[in-house]
């Protein structure tokens, strides 16, 4: 879909075509296109069907709002989930914000709903048109203005806060190289240096050495999956009080959504020891934030190895910060032994997890040649530099 096709969708005729396309969502694509082509030209038919399909996909991220919003395929893929955007916007509530990489407007809309006035820009004219259309469709147009501009040309000093979500895709797909972001990392760092306060959305795997020294880094997990990280600077950093003596460690945070749980450094130090009755797998946000010791403290456990983010305890403690497994066997890793144990227990379906193990999970699954009615969890790890396998089962909260 190009800009002309999108603008055509905004006309009364385009809105009628889109409404018909939405009604045909899920129908045979050829039949749907044939039906629309009886009334509309090929370009408008294609744009309407594309938009209807994107709205259906967008429900997972935007809920009921998706039915009124507009998307591009790339914009939807990159857009922040509404719950995550709302969490972040609460810290910026009421400020005058410049959003220098607005995309289709996921964060833009959340900021406006948090009472922010937002001036936004993006390099792509189509994306800009989509973002403005979304602001207008959701009744937020009075708080939002969007224009086509290069992030590097923006002076953030004239605003209360800067928000940036650099694009992390190139023509070859997703990139993990910050210098390949759009705008590139040096431009982002320059914007941060000139802003009074800022929030920058980054990939959760951003190298720690790239995090500015005065920034707070927050890793966000949504329903158990680490979705992103955010760097907060200026008055926005260090949102919670810093425990005495921990000032140099206080700029890390893990957040769980939709529950809203948050974890910051406490100075906890985790001991290590033998595998006990239960194994706790810390949420990835806590792992990325280097807060595994804090999770161990919450569940009263210790590490199975000083370098591995698995916690163990003889006590079953419920915590949103860790999945719990009851361990039945702890054995040195052996394919032959593992196959024999699973066969003896008639395990036909196995969940395989690993940390600190070089084993290829899919190849191992094929080599096990499982059959039987039962299920099991196999955890591959390393203890004192030796490969181990832990056999167990999920132990959900009471």
């Amino acid at each position: 879909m190009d800009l002309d096709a999108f603008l055509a969708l905004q006309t009364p005729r385009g809105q009628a075509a889109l409404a018909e396309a939405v009604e045909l969502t899920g129908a045979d694509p050829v039949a749907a296109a044939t039906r629309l082509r009886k009334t509309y030209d090929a370009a408008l038919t294609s744009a309407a069907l594309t938009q209807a399909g994107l709205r259906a996909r967008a429900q997972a991220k935007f809920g009921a709002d998706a039915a009124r919003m507009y998307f591009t395929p790339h914009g939807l893929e990159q857009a922040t989930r509404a719950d995550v955007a709302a969490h972040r916007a609460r810290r910026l509530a009421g400020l005058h914000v410049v959003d220098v990489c607005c995309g289709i407007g996921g964060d833009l809309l959340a900021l406006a709903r948090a009472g922010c006035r937002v001036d936004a820009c993006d390099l792509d004219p189509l994306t800009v048109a989509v973002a403005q259309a979304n602001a207008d469709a959701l009744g937020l147009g009075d708080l939002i203005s969007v224009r086509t501009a290069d992030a590097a040309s923006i002076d953030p000093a004239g605003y209360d806060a800067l928000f940036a979500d650099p694009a992390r895709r190139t023509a070859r797909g997703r990139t993990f190289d910050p210098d390949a972001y759009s705008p590139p990392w040096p431009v982002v760092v320059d914007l941060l240096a000139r802003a009074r306060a800022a929030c920058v959305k980054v990939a959760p795997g951003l190298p720690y050495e790239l995090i500015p020294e005065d920034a707070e880094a927050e890793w966000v997990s949504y329903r158990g999956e680490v979705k992103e990280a955010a760097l907060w600077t200026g008055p926005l950093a260090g949102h919670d009080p810093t425990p005495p003596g921990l000032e140099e460690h206080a700029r890390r945070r893990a957040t769980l959504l939709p529950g809203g749980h948050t974890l910051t450094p406490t100075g906890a130090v985790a001991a290590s020891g033998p595998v006990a009755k239960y194994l706790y797998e810390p949420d990835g946000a806590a792992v990325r934030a280097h807060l595994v010791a804090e999770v161990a403290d919450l569940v009263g456990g210790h590490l199975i190895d000083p370098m591995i983010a698995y916690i163990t305890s003889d006590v079953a403690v419920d915590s949103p910060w860790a999945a719990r497994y009851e361990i039945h066997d702890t054995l040195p890793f052996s394919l032959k032994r593992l196959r024999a144990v699973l066969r003896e227990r008639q395990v036909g379906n196995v969940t395989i997890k690993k940390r600190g193990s070089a084993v290829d999970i899919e190849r191992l699954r094929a080599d096990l040649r499982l059959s039987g009615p039962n299920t099991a969890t196999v955890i591959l790890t390393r203890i004192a530099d030796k490969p181990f396998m832990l056999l167990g089962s999920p132990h959900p909260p009471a």
Side-chain angles (χ1 to χ4, degrees):
M1 180 176 63
D2 59 19
L3 180 58
D4 289 341
F6 178 72
L7 295 177
L9 278 180
Q10 306 305 301
T11 66
R13 184 173 177 79
Q15 290 294 290
L18 179 55
E20 290 187 41
V22 168
E23 291 181 1
L24 294 170
T25 299
D28 175 74
V30 174
T34 300
R35 176 173 166 178
L36 287 181
R37 282 294 304 274
K38 293 179 179 178
T39 307
Y40 309 101
D41 61 49
L44 187 55
T45 293
S46 177
L49 289 173
T50 297
Q51 201 58 232
L54 290 171
R55 283 184 171 182
R57 285 170 47 197
Q59 290 177 13
K61 282 189 174 183
F62 292 96
D65 283 345
R68 293 183 289 162
M69 292 176 66
Y70 299 91
F71 305 94
T72 65
H74 173 75
L76 175 56
E77 183 174 348
Q78 290 291 300
T80 303
R81 186 178 293 272
D83 289 356
V84 179
H87 159 75
R88 199 165 36 233
R90 282 191 284 273
R91 205 188 288 201
L92 292 145
L95 300 181
H96 187 192
V97 179
V98 58
D99 182 345
V100 297
C101 322
C102 70
I104 57 94
D107 284 286
L108 190 64
L109 300 172
L111 289 168
R113 281 175 166 164
C116 297
R117 288 184 297 120
V118 191
D119 294 336
C121 69
D122 198 279
L123 269 176
D124 177 47
L126 171 59
T127 300
V128 167
V130 171
Q132 188 65 63
N134 284 333
D136 294 339
L138 296 179
L140 299 168
D142 290 344
L143 291 170
I144 292 170
S145 65
V146 192
R147 62 191 174 96
T148 303
D150 187 337
S153 70
I154 302 300
D155 181 9
Y159 296 86
D160 297 328
L162 163 79
F163 181 83
D165 180 7
R168 294 180 292 282
R169 291 190 71 86
T170 67
R172 292 178 292 181
R174 188 179 299 274
T175 180
F176 299 96
D177 177 8
D179 285 339
Y181 286 2
S182 179
W185 192 246
V187 174
V188 175
V189 172
D190 176 65
L191 288 166
L192 286 174
R194 292 187 287 121
R196 299 179 187 177
C199 175
V200 178
K201 175 182 167 183
V202 296
L206 181 77
Y208 295 106
E209 61 268 22
L210 294 184
I211 298 173
E213 188 174 327
D214 61 346
E216 176 193 0
E218 178 187 24
W219 283 267
V220 177
S221 177
Y222 183 81
R223 299 193 185 281
E225 183 179 350
V226 184
K227 290 293 185 182
E228 62 186 57
L231 305 182
W232 301 89
T233 68
L236 296 173
H239 196 51
D240 289 343
T242 303
L246 290 179
E247 290 81 1
E248 72 276 17
H249 301 295
R251 297 190 182 272
R252 289 176 281 119
R253 178 187 301 271
T255 297
L256 303 182
L257 297 177
H261 308 283
T262 190
L263 191 64
T264 54
T266 63
V269 177
S272 58
V275 178
K277 182 176 181 180
Y278 299 105
L279 186 86
Y280 293 85
E281 180 183 28
D283 186 90
V287 176
R288 288 297 303 171
H290 291 176
L291 295 173
V292 173
E294 280 73 7
V295 178
D297 195 43
L298 290 174
V299 301
H302 58 264
L303 301 176
I304 65 171
D305 182 278
M307 304 303 294
I308 303 296
Y310 280 138
I311 300 164
T312 189
S313 172
D314 280 320
V315 181
V317 178
D318 293 343
S319 172
W321 289 103
R324 186 173 63 234
Y325 300 87
E326 185 172 1
I327 301 302
H328 309 306
D329 299 280
T330 301
L331 304 165
F333 179 76
S334 162
L335 174 59
K336 182 177 180 181
R337 180 71 182 277
L338 179 58
R339 185 188 292 137
V341 170
L342 296 177
R343 188 170 297 168
E344 177 185 338
R345 297 176 186 177
Q346 297 184 308
V347 172
N349 185 22
V350 65
T351 298
I352 304 175
K353 309 180 76 68
K354 72 171 188 175
R355 277 183 179 163
S357 170
V359 174
D360 184 313
I361 288 180
E362 293 311 313
R363 181 172 179 179
L364 173 62
R365 192 186 304 278
D367 289 342
L368 289 174
R369 301 193 292 274
L370 299 172
S371 66
N374 298 323
T375 62
T377 299
V378 175
I379 299 168
L380 306 176
T381 190
R382 189 182 70 247
I383 303 175
D385 291 328
K386 295 181 180 179
F388 272 78
M389 53 189 189
L390 283 57
L391 281 69
S393 56
H395 194 267

